[in-house]
Amino acid sequence: MDRKRIMVVGGGAGGLGLVTRLGRRLGRRGKAEITLIDRNTTHIWKPLLHEVATGALDSSIDEISYQSHAQLNGYRFQRGTLEGLDRDTRQLRLAPVLDDHGQEVLPARTLDYDLLVLALGSVSNDFGTPGVSEHCHFLDSPAQAEAFRHDMLNTFLRYSDPERRQHPRLTVGIVGAGATGVELSAELYDASRMLHSYGFTEMDSRHLEVHLIEAAPDVLPALPERIRGAVRTELERLGVQVHTGTRVVCLEQNAIVTADEARIETDLNVWAAGIKAPDMLRELGLTLERNQRIKVEPTLQSVDDPNIFVFGDCASCPQPDGSVVPPRAQAAHQQAQRLYKNLLARLDNGTLKPFRYRDRGSLISLAHFEAIGSLMRGASARSLFIEGRLAKLFYVSLYRMHQRAIHGTAKTALILFSDGLNRFIRPRMKLH
């Protein structure tokens, strides 16, 4: 039987959700061969990486093995990093997989496809700022989040000895006041309190100083003014020093230098200012737009090749009003749903429909303290402002919806029950 080969590159929330649905609908029934390709072996929901970075979320518990998930849901998994593409022969090239010592684990491979889906997400954009790559942590992957967590724990331990302190208070500089920077700022204060309560360090939140630096006039520049104001008020109440309208010109080992020649002395630095699609997309021979995003038709097909579909942060998808779909998690989720239907239509020689983005609102988590945001109310596009426990409940429900999409209702209910038990039998944060 001549089965179509559908390859999905990128196992983020959108990519994993897509192959799960395709695997259950087509793979299990032998109607198509579905393959997921990712350089990592496990998946974790990217909006929660700031919690991994502070230990509030234990990645070893919440991560999902691609290999086992593939076996359960009717698709195949190939570990590897996309290195090149031959559109004429419909082949993609994967770079060799190396271990921590640089030894080859898997050789370079060439895979054939009939339909290709690129869901490679985004990475931090340092805008060429000197010193960023050398002196900043990034939160683009679980590995980077874990690297920051280890550095954070070691810094807290070092500051337990007054003679080893570089500054009066442990100081963290976060460049970029988007969702990642804002949420990490709040999580750090929660982490310091938890570390003190467990006896990990004698320091508590009074000995922590967080500087949140943003070039735009306000935090969360893409969100409505009411949300921005409420979030800023809560951050300042926690103790975060917010610097808006402040452009960073370079990073040093223990300092952030701004355009007005001010120096902010720091112990740890995090760069969360802007995103771009991965650099390797420039090697694929596809038309790119701003921030290296691949230009696509409204049907999510590349403008260069109807057999290549692109969605999520790495896609530049036009809308009827002339705008482009924003690189947001909810946009990737909506695109995955439309792309699933379009792929089915393509296999049946049907008509593909254009993607229309619907803004469902925004929610910002401020650790366990609070959440703030808005929900869009139907076609009228009126927003409902929410905060406190209700907003936190909606924020948590987004992750549960993601789990339900990739695990199903029954297994998600068991996970929810297990998470409840873990609150009693495990520490509230990862301490090792």
Side-chain angles (χ1 to χ4, degrees), residues 30-56:
K31 294 184 176 181
E33 183 179 303
I34 314 299
T35 303
L36 173 67
I37 299 169
D38 198 279
R39 63 181 177 181
N40 301 306
T41 58
T42 59
H43 161 88
I44 197 160
W45 200 43
K46 191 172 182 179
L48 294 181
L49 285 181
H50 67 281
E51 294 189 18
V52 176
T54 58

Side-chain angles (χ1 to χ4, degrees), residues 334-349:
Q334 293 177 32
Q335 286 178 325
Q337 293 179 323
R338 167 47 52 199
L339 185 51
Y340 168 73
K341 296 177 181 178
N342 278 357
L343 287 170
L344 294 182
R346 178 63 184 273
L347 294 178
D348 291 335
N349 296 316

Side-chain angles (χ1 to χ4, degrees), residues 373-402:
S374 64
L375 302 177
M376 305 306 289
R377 303 176 64 180
S380 65
R382 290 186 177 182
S383 62
L384 173 65
F385 180 82
I386 58 174
E387 60 183 333
R389 291 185 178 180
L390 178 61
K392 191 67 176 182
L393 177 63
F394 276 105
Y395 184 89
V396 173
S397 71
L398 296 177
Y399 182 44
R400 299 305 179 187
M401 290 170 61
H402 169 63

Side-chain angles (χ1 to χ4, degrees), residues 199-221:
F200 186 90
T201 175
E202 295 182 359
M203 299 172 57
D204 59 19
S205 59
R206 295 171 298 175
H207 301 92
L208 176 67
E209 185 173 302
V210 176
H211 292 266
L212 182 61
I213 305 166
E214 172 58 50
D218 203 354
V219 299
L220 303 168

